[in-house]
């Protein structure tokens, strides 16, 4: 069934001729191609709007030259009075700089009256409403992620630290046969605390428009530590890293980024997997390639494996690892992708900004 689209439009225009023109355009046959019905409420200033603040509108058409104010001051006043409703500015001037500034101050669109016709006007109305709804949905999701982040920080993470502390206490006081159970509590607590910290980092990266604080990281040290973690999981895996002193722009979670990639290669490539790591620098970018001789990744899965919750059929993990890697690399201003390896398995390419002094 096709969705019925109805728009309640508030027209704020003090010029009777311009008001009749807008109403005429909105009643033209072209409008029916985009919306089913348009209801127009016309006022000549913002004062009546302020007096009936409870009225609901889908979109506002606002003339900038009103009796009580002119120019962008009119827009500022309107955004205060009609909070949360998309505003389309109508003006008799062809002023590109003012148009840009109006958008920066919250207007959804800026339409010169001389260029108005029914088709253009109703398109602007509909797109403004759609964009506004999308923005509200994104804000709701951001608010929800902030809430989940606070739960992770104040409830789950604090709780896991208490459990871990009690486990350590039991580990020190129980006899040898029972101590193994306490050690398992401590180990699982460490794993869950680490996972919780990673989830919090992703939430902060997604919701914080300014991004995380970044610094210069010595790439070779990060790769060496990640390789040691892979060897600790499998004594038979072989890791070779080309020695090149390179500094990249990232943060402390870069260790977990490469740690996840190395462990992923061991998990899917087997105990005796060979991992060959090469680094290239060009045009302000550092590209790290982790190539292995495992089973490889089908080309149809090359992008999907970085999506949230995706994991291989043989994996016992949460599907969070590569999603975390992808999210963090992109937060650094980099990129990540996977191709076939010359060794016969998979080759993960990580592109990071080169830190220059």
């Amino acid at each position: 069934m096709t969705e019925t689209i109805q728009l309640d439009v508030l027209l704020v225009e003090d010029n009777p001729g311009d008001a009749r023109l807008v109403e005429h355009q909105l009643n033209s046959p072209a409008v029916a191609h985009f919306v089913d019905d348009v209801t127009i409420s016309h006022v000549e200033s913002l004062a009546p709007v302020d007096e009936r603040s409870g009225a609901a509108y889908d979109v506002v058409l606002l003339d900038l030259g009103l009796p009580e104010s002119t120019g962008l001051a009119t827009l500022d006043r309107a955004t205060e009075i009609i909070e949360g409703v998309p505003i389309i500015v109508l003006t008799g001037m062809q002023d590109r700089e003012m148009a840009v500034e109006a958008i920066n101050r919250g207007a959804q669109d800026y339409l010169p009256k001389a260029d108005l016709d029914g088709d253009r006007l109703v398109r602007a109305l509909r797109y403004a409403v759609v964009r506004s709804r999308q923005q509200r949905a994104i804000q709701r999701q951001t608010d929800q992620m902030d809430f989940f982040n606070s739960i992770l920080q104040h409830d789950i993470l604090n709780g896991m630290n208490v459990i871990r502390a009690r486990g350590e206490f039991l580990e020190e006081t129980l006899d040898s046969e029972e101590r193994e159970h306490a050690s398992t509590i401590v180990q699982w607590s460490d794993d869950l605390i680490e996972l919780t910290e990673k989830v919090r980092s992703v939430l902060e990266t997604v919701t914080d428009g300014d991004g995380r604080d970044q610094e210069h990281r010595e790439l070779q040290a990060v790769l060496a530590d990640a390789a040691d973690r892979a060897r600790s999981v499998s004594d038979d895996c072989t890791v070779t890293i080309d020695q090149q002193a390179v500094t990249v722009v990232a943060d402390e979670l870069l260790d977990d980024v490469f740690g996840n990639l190395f462990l992923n290669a061991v998990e899917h490539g087997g105990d005796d997997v060979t991992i060959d790591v090469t680094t290239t620098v060009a045009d302000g970018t550092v590209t790290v390639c982790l190539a292995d001789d495992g089973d490889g990744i089908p080309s149809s899965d090359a992008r999907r494996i970085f999506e949230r919750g995706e994991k291989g059929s043989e994996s016992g993990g949460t599907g969070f690892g590569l999603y975390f890697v992808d999210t963090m690399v992109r937060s650094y201003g980099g990129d990540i992708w996977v191709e076939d390896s010359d060794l016969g398995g998979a080759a993960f390419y990580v592109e990071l900004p080169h830190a220059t002094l």
Side-chain angles (χ1 to χ4, degrees):
M1 180 181 294
T2 303
E3 180 185 5
T4 299
I5 300 175
Q6 296 179 316
L7 292 180
D8 288 322
V9 179
L10 173 63
L11 172 61
V12 186
E13 171 62 74
D14 67 322
N15 185 307
D18 288 343
R20 285 194 297 270
L21 174 63
V22 171
E23 291 171 347
H24 171 75
Q25 300 290 7
L26 289 178
N27 288 321
S28 69
V31 171
H33 294 292
F34 297 94
V35 295
D36 298 284
D37 185 41
V38 177
T39 301
I40 306 170
S41 300
H42 174 220
V43 294
E44 296 184 351
S45 72
L46 289 170
V49 182
D50 198 8
E51 293 170 1
R52 44 181 176 175
S53 56
Y57 304 101
D58 294 311
V59 62
V60 176
L61 291 172
L62 177 68
D63 176 33
L64 290 184
L66 298 178
E68 68 266 43
S69 61
T70 59
L72 295 174
T74 302
L75 174 60
D76 294 338
R77 177 62 177 152
T79 54
E80 292 177 2
I81 297 174
I82 322 167
E83 187 177 358
V85 180
I87 297 175
I88 298 175
V89 168
L90 299 178
T91 177
M93 299 180 293
Q94 294 276 2
D95 189 332
R96 183 175 296 274
E97 289 186 5
M98 182 175 285
V100 172
E101 183 61 24
I103 299 298
N104 289 337
R105 295 197 187 193
Q108 287 283 345
D109 210 339
Y110 184 97
L111 301 178
K113 295 178 184 178
D115 298 336
L116 281 186
D117 57 43
D119 181 80
R120 183 178 182 185
L121 183 55
V122 76
R123 280 175 184 266
L125 288 170
R126 181 169 178 176
Y127 295 160
V129 171
V130 170
R131 284 195 299 267
S132 179
R133 290 173 180 171
Q134 290 173 339
Q135 289 168 355
R136 288 198 296 270
I138 291 171
Q139 185 59 51
R140 283 196 298 270
Q141 291 176 343
T142 301
D143 293 341
Q144 289 170 348
M145 286 189 286
D146 284 337
F147 173 69
F148 295 146
N149 196 12
S150 67
I151 291 177
L152 288 173
Q153 170 65 29
H154 298 294
D155 297 317
I156 297 178
L157 192 57
N158 289 346
M160 288 309 306
N161 280 316
V162 171
I163 293 172
R164 188 188 188 285
R166 297 299 185 270
E168 280 189 319
F169 174 78
L170 294 174
E171 205 174 21
E172 296 172 356
T173 57
L174 294 175
D175 59 38
S176 58
E177 185 174 338
E178 296 172 322
R179 189 177 301 130
E180 182 179 347
H181 298 299
S183 298
T184 300
I185 294 174
V186 173
Q187 179 182 345
W188 273 97
S189 296
D190 286 338
D191 290 344
L192 290 173
I193 289 170
E194 181 182 3
L195 177 60
T196 302
E197 290 283 11
K198 288 179 181 178
V199 173
R200 287 186 61 233
S201 298
V202 171
L203 288 174
E204 289 173 359
T205 299
V206 171
T207 58
D208 186 358
D210 297 329
R212 295 170 56 87
D213 292 335
Q214 297 181 9
E215 58 192 33
H216 290 189
R217 298 295 312 275
E218 294 292 340
L219 184 59
Q220 288 306 112
V222 173
L223 292 174
D225 288 343
D228 288 341
R229 290 168 65 180
R231 295 187 186 100
S232 70
V233 175
S234 173
D235 294 333
D236 296 327
C237 77
T238 302
V239 181
T240 59
I241 303 175
D242 69 330
Q243 297 299 315
Q244 186 175 173
V246 179
T247 305
V248 297
V249 179
D251 61 15
E252 73 278 2
L253 289 174
L254 187 64
D255 301 84
D256 291 301
V257 167
F258 283 106
N260 270 280
L261 289 175
F262 274 97
L263 293 176
N264 181 76
V266 172
E267 179 181 356
H268 296 285
D271 291 338
D272 59 349
V273 66
T274 296
I275 306 172
D276 185 29
V277 184
T278 56
T279 303
T280 57
V281 182
D283 299 327
T285 299
V286 177
T287 304
V288 181
C289 174
L290 283 80
D292 64 57
D293 62 353
D295 294 333
I297 296 173
S299 57
S300 58
D301 294 338
R303 185 61 233 168
R304 185 173 58 84
I305 59 170
F306 296 105
E307 296 176 1
R308 182 177 57 192
E310 290 293 336
K311 59 180 180 177
S313 58
E314 303 300 321
S315 174
T318 61
F320 181 74
L322 290 179
Y323 173 70
F324 166 78
V325 168
D326 180 69
T327 301
M328 296 313 302
V329 168
R330 293 184 185 281
S331 77
Y332 302 146
D335 195 7
I336 182 169
W337 67 93
V338 63
E339 299 178 2
D340 292 333
S341 163
D342 292 339
L343 300 178
F348 282 84
Y349 290 85
V350 180
E351 199 174 73
L352 296 167
H354 185 203
T356 56
L357 298 179

